[in-house]
Amino acid sequence: MKTQNILMLDDDFALIKKFNNGDEFAFKVLISRHREKVRNLIYLMLGNGEYIDDISQNVFIAVYRNLNKFKFESQFTTWLHKITLNKCRDHMRREKIKNLFVGFSNEDEDFPVPTDIKDEFDIQELVRKGIGKLPEKLRAPMVMKDFEGFSYQEIAEILGTEVGTVKSRIFRAREGLRKILEPYKEELL
């Protein structure tokens, strides 16, 4: 672990202790330190930016309410990402239920990309939509590993599974993404 990561870990622990002792400002520092990582994880998990603010707010409300239960047995970021993934799952569950009653609007889900002119689409958007088509149980570990930089062990802790399962899911996610993006290979090169 790099010295900077150790200092940040110590800083997070110190901030949590300060907050638990009544220092509200310590919580604001925690939010500002981790806000963008939470927002990025939500964006990558949901595939669109429409609900980022609402879900990230729900994440930090849950952290605020439960920070006194943090056990200092793992990194704060591990705990925070677990809460974030749970809030994303809650959102996806609500959307599925809502879609059962409201119906689908496929306008946002049209995956075909203009192939005649390369500059007409955003490669990042194409990859993001591809990631969004992966099953959640494959998407989450791949996003944490490839985009957030978590170790296999940290991902296993967050997801509550074995390291071997995490590795397998990441492999399957990468293979699935490769198959999804195969028709757009020329545009991506």
Side-chain angles (χ1 to χ4, degrees):
M1 198 179 264
K2 295 179 182 176
T3 305
Q4 183 180 8
N5 289 344
I6 292 171
L7 292 176
M8 189 170 170
L9 181 66
D10 288 342
D11 290 345
D12 284 347
F13 286 172
L15 288 169
I16 293 166
K17 288 177 184 175
K18 284 182 181 181
F19 173 75
N20 286 338
N21 288 327
D23 184 352
E24 294 283 327
F25 182 73
F27 186 73
K28 290 179 182 178
V29 174
L30 273 175
I31 289 175
S32 66
R33 181 178 288 173
H34 298 286
R35 177 185 298 125
E36 287 308 309
K37 281 193 172 198
V38 167
R39 291 174 56 82
N40 288 337
L41 182 56
I42 294 166
Y43 180 75
L44 290 166
M45 287 301 298
L46 298 181
N48 69 50
E50 187 176 350
Y51 299 103
I52 290 176
D53 291 333
D54 292 339
I55 295 171
S56 62
Q57 182 177 9
N58 290 337
V59 167
F60 286 112
I61 288 170
V63 170
Y64 184 89
R65 290 180 177 160
N66 295 295
L67 203 53
N68 61 336
K69 298 174 187 166
F70 181 73
K71 297 180 182 173
F72 301 94
E73 294 172 354
S74 63
Q75 293 183 34
F76 173 70
T77 52
T78 302
W79 188 70
L80 177 62
H81 278 72
K82 190 171 198 168
I83 292 170
T84 304
L85 287 174
N86 286 336
K87 294 297 178 185
C88 288
R89 287 180 183 129
D90 291 346
H91 173 78
M92 289 185 285
R93 231 182 335 267
R94 279 192 304 275
E95 286 299 304
K96 280 184 182 178
I97 291 170
K98 186 170 80 174
N99 287 336
L100 288 174
F101 296 102
V102 177
F104 296 105
S105 169
N106 288 335
E107 293 173 19
D108 292 352
E109 303 214 7
D110 284 344
F111 196 68
V113 181
T115 56
D116 49 341
I117 301 176
K118 205 172 189 179
D119 295 334
E120 284 189 30
F121 69 97
D122 182 6
I123 291 174
Q124 289 179 336
E125 184 70 10
L126 180 65
V127 173
R128 185 193 56 74
K129 283 186 176 185
I131 291 169
K133 293 206 176 275
L134 294 171
E136 190 271 333
K137 75 176 191 175
L138 301 180
R139 184 181 340 133
M142 186 183 82
V143 165
M144 286 188 279
K145 179 68 175 161
D146 294 344
F147 295 94
E148 297 292 326
F150 280 91
S151 70
Y152 292 116
Q153 183 62 42
E154 291 169 325
I155 297 168
E157 288 177 31
I158 292 168
L159 298 178
T161 189
E162 299 295 323
V163 172
T165 303
V166 169
K167 288 180 179 180
S168 171
R169 288 179 181 173
I170 291 171
F171 175 80
R172 289 176 28 223
R174 289 173 181 159
E175 288 298 307
L177 184 59
R178 186 173 295 124
K179 287 178 185 174
I180 290 168
L181 297 176
E182 182 69 28
Y184 309 101
K185 185 166 67 173
E186 290 188 23
E187 287 84 0
L188 294 170
L189 298 176

